[in-house]
Amino acid sequence: MAIKGSCCCGGVRFELFERPAMVGVCHCSRCRKSGSSAYAYVRAEAFSWVSGRNLVARYAPEPPLRFTRCFCARCGTALGDPFSGRILAIAAACLDDDADLTPDFHEHVADRRTWRCVAAREEP
Ligand SMILES: [Zn+2]
Ligand SMILES: [Zn+2]
C-alpha cells in the first residue's frame, strides 16, 4: 500500500511505494528556517507524483552549501528534495499516512534550539 504525501494546500500530491529506508532529523539552521527538519529517505523508483509537480519551486543555495530545497509555490510547504539523486530526501512532515516512522538518526544536534523538544505538557 502506498504512503501518501501532500503539501498544505493539497496542490502537490505524491506517493511512496515502499517504506522509507531511513528517517533522519536535522537540527541545522537551514533546515530549521526552510521549515523542514525530518526527512524520509526513499529510493527514487519508489516515489511517484500524483499531482502538482508544476507547482514545485526549487531553491539551490550558493556553493559550498548543498542540498536543493523544494517547496510548494502556492502554499510554501517544504517538500525536501523529490528530484535529486537515487535516494530522495522527502520532508516527513508532508506524509499524510503516519506509517509508524521513527527517526533513525539526528544530525547537527548541537544547533538544536531549546524550544525544539518534546513538551511534557499536552494541549487540552
Ligand atoms: Zn501547496
Ligand atoms: Zn539541516
Side-chain angles (χ1 to χ4, degrees):
M1 198 176 71
I3 298 172
K4 296 182 187 335
S6 61
C7 67
C8 191
C9 76
V12 176
R13 294 185 182 279
F14 59 85
E15 291 180 341
L16 311 180
F17 295 110
E18 63 187 24
R19 284 180 62 78
M22 200 166 53
V23 174
V25 180
C26 184
H27 297 276
C28 84
S29 64
R30 300 183 60 243
C31 286
R32 192 166 62 235
K33 291 180 181 184
S34 73
S36 180
S37 57
Y39 300 95
Y41 295 91
V42 66
R43 295 186 310 137
E45 308 90 274
F47 177 93
S48 177
W49 294 102
V50 175
S51 68
R53 183 176 177 157
N54 59 321
L55 285 174
V56 178
R58 305 178 78 186
Y59 164 67
E62 296 290 325
L65 294 176
R66 298 184 296 148
F67 302 120
T68 297
R69 292 164 191 279
C70 297
F71 54 97
C72 172
R74 192 158 70 192
C75 70
T77 296
L79 300 166
D81 186 358
F83 293 108
S84 302
R86 290 170 40 234
I87 303 291
L88 307 176
I90 305 298
C94 294
L95 299 179
D96 295 309
D97 302 319
D98 178 49
D100 204 24
L101 300 174
T102 53
D104 295 291
F105 66 90
H106 287 255
E107 58 185 344
H108 298 290
V109 175
D111 294 334
R112 182 180 68 86
R113 289 294 191 250
T114 51
W115 48 257
R116 180 100 171 124
C117 62
V118 177
R121 183 164 37 105
E122 290 185 10
E123 295 297 322

